[in-house]
Amino acid sequence: MIYSGSQPRRTIVPPRYRYEEIADDLQSRIEAGEFPPGSRLPSRRELTAHYDVTAPVIDRAMQILRVKGITETLAGVGVYVRDTPGES
């Protein structure tokens, strides 16, 4: 079948991964003040229960926040909101 070109092109948008949605949600909650600078984020167990996902999904979301400079992870202690989000 040949089209005359009058049909609009469709842009294919890839599906978002769940860990990206969770990272965005947590970032929004941080920006809204639910988790102020210096505060500890909920534990991995609490986040897996809240978002109904597995631990690796939460780990990837935490990785995104860490790479963006929004949080810092203290091994064996927890994940904390940086005092100055986005700055190293």
Side-chain angles (χ1 to χ4, degrees):
M1 180 180 260
I2 298 175
Y3 292 104
S4 64
S6 63
Q7 293 196 0
R9 288 187 72 122
R10 293 186 184 179
T11 303
I12 298 174
V13 178
R16 295 197 65 214
Y17 291 104
R18 185 70 175 124
Y19 64 85
E20 293 173 316
E21 294 171 352
I22 293 168
D24 287 348
D25 183 58
L26 287 169
Q27 182 174 349
S28 295
R29 293 169 70 185
I30 289 167
E31 290 169 353
E34 184 175 342
F35 303 112
S39 67
R40 184 175 179 273
L41 292 182
S43 70
R44 180 191 295 155
R45 179 175 288 166
E46 292 168 320
L47 291 172
T48 57
H50 177 79
Y51 290 106
D52 194 27
V53 294
T54 61
V57 174
I58 295 300
D59 293 342
R60 288 291 299 267
M62 292 296 110
Q63 180 182 28
I64 290 172
L65 295 177
R66 188 171 51 254
V67 167
K68 287 182 172 183
I70 296 168
T71 62
E72 59 184 320
T73 303
L74 302 176
V77 179
V79 179
Y80 290 82
V81 178
R82 290 180 58 92
D83 288 331
T84 12
E87 293 183 14
S88 296

